[in-house]
Amino acid sequence: MERRKFLKGAAIGAGATALATPALAQGGKTMTIVSTWPRDFPGLGVSAQRLAARIGELSEGALNVEYFAAGERVGALDVFDEVASGNSQAYIGADYYWTGKHPALAYFTAVPFGMSYAEINAWILYGGGMEIWDKVQDQFGLKGLPAGNTGTQAGGWFNKEIESADDFKGLKMRIPGLGGQVLAKLGASTVSLPGGQIYENLVSGTIDATEWVGPYNDYFMKFYEAAKYYYTGGMHEPGAQLSLTSNKSWWSSLSDWERSVITAAALEENSNSYFEAMALNGEYLTKLVDEQGVEVRSFDEDTWDAMGEAAQEVFEETASYDALAAEVNDAVQAKMREIGRGISLFEGQFVNQRNRILDL
């Protein structure tokens, strides 16, 4: 399978795998990483394995990295508690899976009508976002780092066309985070399932629709076997940030150099995963259409407007949870408008005109 080329040199086998160099023989600190994605999972899983391998490489054995994919040590959605408890040192996942812990965690993955890849990275790294993220995760004894991004995700796979917002009524859809809450307001019945369980639920008819990532990741999931309508440009995840989140006590015990190594590897993968997806999405969209007969659709503006109105209600409800949730929501809304305006007037203006002239 084509995904194997991404694993070359990573020395990744079955089960828990040490990813350090021979320098480990002289002693090193163990870093056990648990992931929300299955082993060799195209896109997200491969990215997580690549990051784990890179930490071992950069540390030259000072960090003995043991990587466990979903289900190998704990369940996909159990990694948060696993790391918060100190049983493992870090997880690779998407923080919006744990809005039940605190709703503000959603803002550090993606929220409806939220930040794109460029915007969320600008905010986290240079706009005060990291400090607010630390404040949220401090409650759980955790420390997060950006470690991946999918870019703007697809609106999802549906077994029927969505011609208006009314078509969401009664629809059973896998969609986590605040995006799921938006569609629930439009009448959908939403669930949050780990990636490894989506296909079976879609094929069996337990759910009618699902969102996942984008053409490159989605192609390997074979959702087209149960749902032929593929909607582009979803409102729910405009730039989904993934995280490498460590147990804070363990993180604090590391030397400055060790923390720098982990940070460098995480930020490297934060870029690599995004650019990989951008390079491959077009190719795999063509495969979905030409090889599998997928019908590509876009939501109409009335549907977008209905989702936008519902999103405002969700933001208000989220901000009312507690003072910290309000602080996070206010910060995101303000910075998104500030950063987004600059991007719109420069990159946005150029891309729109370029695409008009080149008829893209």
Side-chain angles (χ1 to χ4, degrees), residues 113-165:
F113 298 92
M115 294 184 176
S116 67
Y117 167 79
E119 291 165 340
I120 196 168
N121 279 284
W123 175 57
I124 291 289
L125 299 176
Y126 294 100
M130 184 67 79
E131 290 77 9
I132 298 177
W133 193 9
D134 286 345
K135 189 180 294 188
V136 176
Q137 290 203 324
D138 273 349
Q139 302 173 97
F140 308 101
L142 299 171
K143 165 62 185 172
L145 294 169
N149 199 294
T150 65
T152 301
Q153 295 195 2
W157 295 85
F158 298 82
N159 60 15
K160 67 174 185 178
E161 288 192 83
I162 304 298
E163 298 178 325
S164 73

Side-chain angles (χ1 to χ4, degrees), residues 18-343:
L19 296 166
T21 69
L24 176 61
Q26 283 74 48
K29 294 180 180 178
T30 297
M31 182 180 185
T32 300
I33 299 176
V34 288
S35 171
T36 56
W37 297 296
R39 185 167 292 276
D40 298 341
F41 204 52
L44 297 172
V46 172
S47 172
Q49 290 164 232
R50 188 166 55 205
L51 171 54
R54 188 61 171 153
I55 293 170
E57 291 167 359
L58 288 180
S59 73
E60 297 184 337
L63 292 168
N64 171 27
V65 181
E66 296 179 337
Y67 175 83
F68 293 87
E72 293 178 356
R73 186 178 176 98
V74 295
L77 299 184
D78 296 324
V79 302
F80 186 100
D81 289 338
E82 170 76 3
V83 174
S85 69
N87 288 334
S88 295
Q89 284 69 56
Y91 69 74
I92 300 173
D95 276 5
Y96 74 167
Y97 287 149
W98 300 289
T99 53
K101 303 288 187 182
H102 196 285
L105 284 167
Y107 292 85
F108 303 98
T109 300
V111 296
F113 298 92
M115 294 184 176
S116 67
Y117 167 79
E119 291 165 340
I120 196 168
N121 279 284
W123 175 57
I124 291 289
L125 299 176
Y126 294 100
M130 184 67 79
E131 290 77 9
I132 298 177
W133 193 9
D134 286 345
K135 189 180 294 188
V136 176
Q137 290 203 324
D138 273 349
Q139 302 173 97
F140 308 101
L142 299 171
K143 165 62 185 172
L145 294 169
N149 199 294
T150 65
T152 301
Q153 295 195 2
W157 295 85
F158 298 82
N159 60 15
K160 67 174 185 178
E161 288 192 83
I162 304 298
E163 298 178 325
S164 73
D166 286 342
D167 289 326
F168 285 107
K169 292 178 179 177
L171 191 79
K172 295 174 292 185
M173 183 171 182
R174 182 270 181 192
I175 177 170
L178 301 191
Q181 294 180 33
V182 167
L183 294 191
K185 286 188 175 295
L186 298 182
S189 174
T190 64
V191 296
S192 182
L193 295 169
Q197 297 177 18
I198 302 173
Y199 174 84
E200 61 191 69
N201 280 275
L202 189 62
V203 169
S204 69
T206 303
I207 56 175
D208 305 310
T210 185
E211 63 79 44
W212 183 232
V213 183
Y216 165 52
N217 290 267
D218 293 6
Y219 177 85
F220 295 99
M221 298 290 278
K222 297 186 177 182
F223 296 141
Y224 52 78
E225 293 183 353
K228 287 291 186 180
Y229 296 107
Y230 192 38
Y231 280 75
T232 63
M235 57 82 195
H236 59 299
E237 296 187 52
Q241 176 181 270
L242 312 177
S243 69
L244 172 68
T245 294
S246 300
N247 178 279
K248 190 173 182 182
S249 294
W250 177 81
W251 176 262
S252 299
S253 75
L254 299 176
S255 68
D256 289 344
W257 177 82
E258 289 165 334
R259 286 193 291 268
S260 294
V261 165
I262 295 170
T263 300
L267 293 182
E268 180 182 282
E269 188 58 32
N270 188 48
S271 297
N272 285 345
S273 63
Y274 172 75
F275 295 131
E276 178 181 86
M278 294 306 100
L280 296 173
N281 273 344
E283 173 187 345
Y284 280 89
L285 181 60
T286 298
K287 288 176 180 287
L288 287 169
V289 173
D290 292 350
E291 297 176 6
Q292 306 301 333
V294 169
E295 298 185 37
V296 178
R297 298 285 188 270
S298 298
F299 300 121
D300 64 23
E301 290 193 355
D302 288 342
T303 301
W304 275 99
D305 289 345
M307 291 189 289
E309 292 174 7
Q312 290 306 310
E313 293 181 25
V314 170
F315 288 138
E316 291 171 5
E317 292 169 1
T318 302
S320 70
Y321 179 81
D322 64 11
L324 183 54
E327 180 183 355
V328 174
N329 179 70
D330 290 349
V332 168
Q333 299 298 343
K335 277 297 179 181
M336 181 173 63
R337 285 159 174 76
E338 179 184 293
I339 296 169
R341 181 170 183 266
I343 290 175

